[in-house]
Amino acid sequence: METKKEFTAMDFLTFTVAGNVVVTDPVTGKEFLCFRNPDNTFTDSRDNQQLKAEEIYALVELRIEQAHKMDAEIEARAAQEAAAQQTPPPPPAPSAPSPSGETAPPPPPPTGTASAPKFCGNCGAPLMDGSKFCTKCGTPVG
């Protein structure tokens, strides 16, 4: 089973020698720079917004949460699609009752195809190729 690494904001922050911070957005993977100011605040290179270090950290933590939610949604959709592909087709509808009140056997399979399924003439259960008896009711085949 695969284990996922839990990321923290520090995984997305790189500090330069000059004290600037390179931030990698956890959702988009794009980087942006926050320039360090003399008063130990930072200026976001994208919009010139003044930020404190704690605000940069909180912003990255929020984006990590958003990335987790997006991953969970993607995994849920993939699981739904996989389940939909594995769902067997619905069973055939029961035969209409005959005038005497008994149900009629299912119609015979189309002829001329080697892979057409065979059905029991007594109960209508599908038969395995080469079967001599119905596995559901035991009636001899053929």
Side-chain angles (χ1 to χ4, degrees):
M1 180 176 205
E2 179 181 321
T3 58
K4 293 183 181 179
K5 179 180 188 249
E6 286 298 320
F7 292 102
T8 67
M10 293 305 293
D11 294 317
F12 296 94
L13 302 175
T14 305
F15 299 91
T16 68
V17 174
N20 299 324
V21 180
V22 177
V23 181
T24 303
D25 186 316
V27 175
T28 64
K30 293 183 179 179
E31 293 181 341
F32 62 94
L33 185 62
C34 290
F35 297 100
R36 183 170 178 234
N37 300 317
D39 64 354
N40 286 328
T41 62
F42 295 86
T43 301
D44 187 331
S45 64
R46 299 172 300 173
D47 58 9
N48 290 326
Q49 180 182 359
Q50 293 283 113
L51 299 168
K52 294 180 184 175
E54 298 84 15
E55 293 171 320
I56 296 171
Y57 191 87
L59 170 70
V60 174
E61 286 290 325
L62 176 66
R63 295 296 282 173
I64 290 171
E65 286 178 31
Q66 291 172 343
H68 284 308
K69 287 179 184 176
M70 292 168 63
D71 286 345
E73 289 172 6
I74 291 168
E75 288 174 8
R77 272 190 239 128
Q80 287 174 342
E81 290 173 5
Q85 290 175 355
Q86 293 177 356
T87 303
S95 302
S98 66
S100 66
E102 296 178 20
T103 57
T111 57
T113 59
S115 63
K118 296 179 182 176
F119 297 92
C120 175
N122 183 47
C123 71
L127 300 173
M128 303 281 287
D129 284 341
S131 296
K132 296 188 182 202
F133 298 93
C134 174
T135 57
K136 184 174 180 184
C137 70
T139 302
V141 175

